Amino acid sequence: MGADGRHSTVRTRAWLAPVESDAPMDVLWFRISREDDDQVPFVSVGSGFTIVAVDRGSYWQLAYCIPKGEYDHLRTYPTSVVADRIRQTIPNIAERFTQEIESWDDLKLLSVSVNHLKCWHRPGLLCIGDAAHAMSPAGGVGINLAIQDAVAASRMLGPGLAAGKTPTEALLRRVQKRRERPARIIQAGQGKILADLYPKHLDDTYKTPAAAKIVRRSRWLQKTAARVIGIGLRPERV
């Protein structure tokens, strides 16, 4: 079972090559100390960037999202350029950034990739989760889909494995057929939303996508979007 993520060794050694899709952003992760009276929004948007802040108790874990491929250009400047941009939206964090971030080595680049395998299996092998379909981090849906893949595979392959039988390729193909469409639809949706959401260049001005404005006006659409993100398009039952 290849369940070792988007950089799957199992997938590589099985000569299963993913098909890459466009991903509109990269992410710089870093930590900033947290104070008791901090008021930091979960999502902040500025000119050419988006920041997601996760409260880890003793520190903030921040994702500084930038247009795809702009990292090398950004690195030609001192790290203070990031502090200057953060100051647009979270001034107190920007001040701590200048004190705690010493070099670009303190910012960890996540090059976001979105891809999928055309075929998830070989004789005796099945890839699931990010090994089969690497998702964008948007919405945190990757873990949901990976668990659903695992539940479906367990239900469909488990009885035969328990009886000591090797799953046939036809059975492995059935697992892929059941789980592939939900993953691909979510990937397509992520690609469209993120293409509209993230600026194409660092100096672009952020504009709220029309789709986001429409969703905000409809409680039904908000509930539907939340259900798709939280539960998925084809929930699996144990």
Side-chain angles (χ1 to χ4, degrees):
M1 187 69 72
D4 50 343
R6 65 181 58 231
H7 303 296
S8 172
T9 300
V10 173
R11 180 181 67 194
T12 300
R13 294 192 176 186
W15 294 92
L16 291 169
V19 177
E20 297 290 339
S21 302
D22 289 336
M25 67 173 182
D26 287 328
V27 179
L28 292 174
W29 286 101
F30 57 95
R31 295 182 179 187
I32 295 294
S33 59
R34 182 184 178 279
E35 296 181 1
D36 292 338
D37 59 349
D38 275 344
Q39 298 293 324
V40 177
F42 177 61
V43 177
S44 305
V45 177
S47 177
F49 67 90
T50 301
I51 298 174
V52 179
V54 181
D55 186 351
R56 296 300 189 189
S58 60
Y59 65 90
W60 293 103
Q61 184 176 17
L62 293 112
Y64 179 79
C65 307
I66 59 175
K68 188 70 176 178
E70 293 282 354
Y71 177 65
D72 288 340
H73 171 65
L74 196 62
R75 274 197 69 140
T76 62
Y77 297 91
T79 56
S80 59
V81 69
V82 178
D84 292 341
R85 292 173 180 272
I86 295 173
R87 194 171 284 109
Q88 298 175 27
T89 56
I90 324 174
N92 57 326
I93 293 296
E95 295 309 315
R96 258 172 269 162
F97 182 98
T98 60
Q99 299 168 12
E100 300 174 16
I101 302 298
E102 298 180 355
S103 71
W104 285 104
D105 293 336
D106 295 325
L107 288 79
K108 308 303 179 185
L109 175 66
L110 169 62
S111 182
V112 176
S113 62
V114 177
N115 59 48
H116 67 277
L117 293 178
K118 289 186 175 180
C119 179
W120 295 16
H121 53 85
R122 290 275 190 263
L125 169 69
L126 175 67
C127 289
I128 61 173
D130 272 4
H133 46 75
M135 313 298 292
S136 160
V141 296
I143 185 63
N144 296 8
L145 287 164
I147 292 173
Q148 290 166 2
D149 289 355
V151 171
S154 175
R155 188 177 63 250
M156 298 170 74
L157 305 180
L161 290 170
K165 298 179 181 178
T166 299
T168 63
E169 281 205 80
L171 190 54
L172 299 178
R173 195 177 303 117
R174 281 180 57 198
V175 178
Q176 176 178 348
K177 184 177 180 180
R178 178 169 180 83
R179 295 304 315 159
E180 182 175 27
R181 181 169 293 180
R184 294 298 309 282
I185 291 174
I186 294 293
Q187 283 183 329
Q190 285 184 322
K192 179 63 174 69
I193 292 169
L194 292 176
D196 291 340
L197 179 61
Y198 286 92
K200 304 298 186 295
H201 302 287
L202 288 169
D203 56 356
D204 282 354
T205 300
Y206 171 84
K207 296 180 180 179
T208 302
K213 294 179 181 178
I214 293 171
V215 170
R216 286 177 183 174
R217 294 176 186 147
S218 170
R219 182 169 295 182
W220 181 83
L221 287 175
Q222 290 174 16
K223 289 182 178 180
T224 301
R227 180 178 177 82
V228 170
I229 291 172
I231 300 177
L233 295 172
R234 176 172 276 175
E236 301 290 346
R237 303 188 185 281
V238 177

